[in-house]
Amino acid sequence: MTTRRNEFNFSGGPGALPASVLLQTQRAIETLPETGISVLGMSHRSEWFVSLVEEASQNLRALLGLSDEYEIAFMQGGSSLQFATIPMNFAGQAWAPPQYVSSGYWSRRATAEAQRVYRCAVAWDGVHSRYSELPDLTKLDIDPRAAYLHYVSNETVEGLQFGAQEGPSNVPLIADMSSDFLSAPIDTDRYSMIYAHAQKNLGPSGVTVALVKRSLLERVPDGLPAILDYRTHIEHRSNYNTPPVFAIYVLTLVSRWLRDEIGGLQSMCAINERKSAAIYGALESLGDAVRIHAKAPWRSRMNVAFSFGDERLDRAFIEFTGERQMTGLEGHRSLGGVRASLYNAVTEQAVASLCEAIREFALARI
Ligand SMILES: *Cc1c(COP(=O)(O)O)cnc(C)c1O
């Protein structure tokens, strides 16, 4: 049954969404209770949409404890567009090259894209450990004149997560939090900018959240195309051109779910800790029969990348779990193996079923 497959969606992205959000979305596609017409036909110039954006911003501010020094923009183009617009807006002749932590697939993509715009420096490279560990950000040797330091808080493909680490305080810190945003409380004051697309933890694809400190916005050079200038989206309250109304609607429902059903980011974090501890525990109990890609101190609570050490066994495991209605467990094409993504909406019951499947598979096949 489709509802069961929804519950067992371990996809790396677009990820699982809460059942209550899917139900409200289903109804809103037919008729949005507040307006009497389908959410898909709602004008972005309507009062309803203007107050929706306002609510989404307020909910994010409240969940994160975000100070008034930050602006919020809901943008399009995914996190990949942010890779390009960040150096366009915030680097330039007045600063030394921006520094990039190259710790896995997505930070490599971010660095390569930024390089096309502006000369960048690689502050740390995880290539020697095959991207299985992360650096201590406070120990990096960063030029204090650097435009900023960019890193990816959770490497989605390799399953590496920085956690609540301190960064260097002498340069602005910019983080791509696409795959762990709103999964735990964060000390937002440490950052000059945080961005995250919706499709892993916040909603469907189509919208990307950018939190930008006002002091950073003062750097934006004149003459950028308006659509690539953060100030445009902030001044127009994320309504410069037709925004992704539907994606912002679902994101708002998810923010209400986090507040009302989960009880905030502290509770979300506790649930996510239990989920990931259960999976890592089940895998570790198999000893040498399984290899977890990330070294222990950097293991992600969102994405668990592992392998049974043999492509055929990995494929057999994916088939085995598929027969139990579990989906989305194939590893990323760049790494292979298996990846279980445990985003906010993946339930503890679903994780318990996956742990059970891991044990049963090991007994039957290894
Ligand atoms: C998935 C992912 C991306 C890619 O985002 P798009 O919205 O597809 O451009 C970027 N960064 C991280 C950390 C990701 O997990």
Side-chain angles (χ1 to χ4, degrees), residues 147-194:
Y148 56 81
L149 174 68
H150 178 281
Y151 78 104
V152 172
S153 59
N154 181 70
E155 287 285 4
T156 322
V157 172
E158 293 83 0
L160 298 162
Q161 193 172 23
F162 276 92
Q165 225 195 68
E166 289 296 318
S169 51
N170 59 347
V171 293
L173 197 57
I174 299 185
D176 174 358
M177 296 197 180
S178 293
S179 54
D180 65 354
F181 192 55
L182 304 185
S183 69
I186 38 172
D187 181 5
T188 46
D189 289 341
R190 294 202 295 116
Y191 299 89
S192 291
M193 177 178 176
I194 293 170

Side-chain angles (χ1 to χ4, degrees), residues 77-81 83 106 152 154 156 176 178-179 197 199-200:
S79 291
S80 298
L81 185 65
F83 294 168
W106 285 114
V152 172
N154 181 70
T156 322
D176 174 358
S178 293
S179 54
H197 62 197
Q199 67 263 31
K200 303 213 167 109

Side-chain angles (χ1 to χ4, degrees), residues 102-103 108 124-133 293 295:
S102 181
S103 51
R108 292 207 307 280
W124 186 86
D125 195 336
V127 66
H128 302 297
S129 72
R130 291 182 55 250
Y131 303 102
S132 64
E133 56 188 34
H293 181 79
K295 291 186 187 157

